[in-house]
Amino acid sequence: MATKEECRSALEKLSDNLAQADGKVRTAAGFNRSLSCHITDLDLTFTGRLVDGRIEVADTVAGPPPEKAQIGLAMAGDDLVAMVGGELNFARAWGSGRVRLEAGFRDLMRLRSLL
């Protein structure tokens, strides 16, 4: 099972990857939305914002997200680490229910290039 530190590191690496992206991925990630990532097996949530192609983690709280974020993710810590490491395809994990993504329709359309 991935640790809290490994999950935070994976989010930082994902943020770096988004910041270095170009084309459609950079455009898709280049907006300002509240973000939460609930790590189900650790029962903790990273909260923050997706701002101009970077993930800014503001806090880590016990349990599910205290407030509904504009973009909400939920998954096991090992799945987060595997996705960021390129070992798990996000679309397949999402389609199989290993990853939950909640966002408004417009945000989903914009994020589709990231999936």
Side-chain angles (χ1 to χ4, degrees), residues 7-58:
C7 292
R8 177 141 189 145
S9 178
L11 287 173
E12 289 171 5
K13 182 176 179 186
L14 177 59
S15 180
D16 291 344
N17 292 347
L18 291 173
Q20 295 171 8
D22 55 6
K24 289 182 183 180
V25 172
R26 180 74 176 159
T27 300
F31 60 122
N32 187 342
R33 294 287 185 268
S34 61
L35 178 72
S36 69
C37 182
H38 183 221
I39 307 300
T40 55
D41 55 339
L42 298 176
D43 196 25
L44 65 90
T45 301
F46 294 95
T47 62
R49 299 199 68 79
L50 176 62
V51 180
D52 295 327
R54 293 213 52 98
I55 297 170
E56 298 175 353
V57 175

